[in-house]
């Protein structure tokens, strides 16, 4: 069951190669997760509408998910800001 929070953020994930997609996969999240680079202010548990563009797609795949991971701006190790859904 998806947790509905008052915030519904919209994210766009555009992957130009399968290698880039594999690097964004988060296997440590139950049932797998996807890291999406974003500067949007979010909180854990926020609902997210995701438009996912895979290599060679003619249109986006859209789905709803929940924010389960946050890399804030200025994260250690030079990691890019974004969220895991």
């Amino acid at each position: 069951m998806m947790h509905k929070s008052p915030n519904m953020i919209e994210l766009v994930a555009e992957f130009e190669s399968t290698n880039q997609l594999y690097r964004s996969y988060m296997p440590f999240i139950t049932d797998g997760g996807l890291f999406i680079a974003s500067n949007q202010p979010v909180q854990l548990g926020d609902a997210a509408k995701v438009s996912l563009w895979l290599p060679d797609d003619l249109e986006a795949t859209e789905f709803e998910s929940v924010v389960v991971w946050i890399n804030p701006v200025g994260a250690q190790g030079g990691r890019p800001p974004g969220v895991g859904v």
Side-chain angles (χ1 to χ4, degrees):
M1 186 159 138
M2 188 163 101
H3 167 73
K4 286 285 187 187
S5 84
N7 281 341
M8 171 68 87
I9 62 167
E10 291 191 22
L11 298 167
V12 176
E14 206 169 327
F15 297 101
E16 297 174 3
S17 70
T18 52
N19 199 20
Q20 185 183 25
L21 173 62
Y22 291 138
R23 285 193 314 270
S24 296
Y25 178 61
M26 303 176 84
F28 54 88
I29 294 175
T30 303
D31 296 327
L34 187 65
F35 179 80
I36 301 171
S38 172
N39 290 317
Q40 289 189 51
V42 298
Q43 294 182 356
L44 291 176
D46 281 353
K49 180 179 178 185
V50 180
S51 295
L52 176 65
W53 291 88
L54 298 174
D56 301 323
D57 272 356
L58 297 177
E59 61 184 52
T61 299
E62 295 187 344
F63 62 93
E64 289 187 7
S65 190
V66 175
V67 174
V68 295
W69 180 274
I70 299 172
N71 255 9
V73 173
Q76 281 186 301
R79 293 185 193 105
V83 299
V85 295

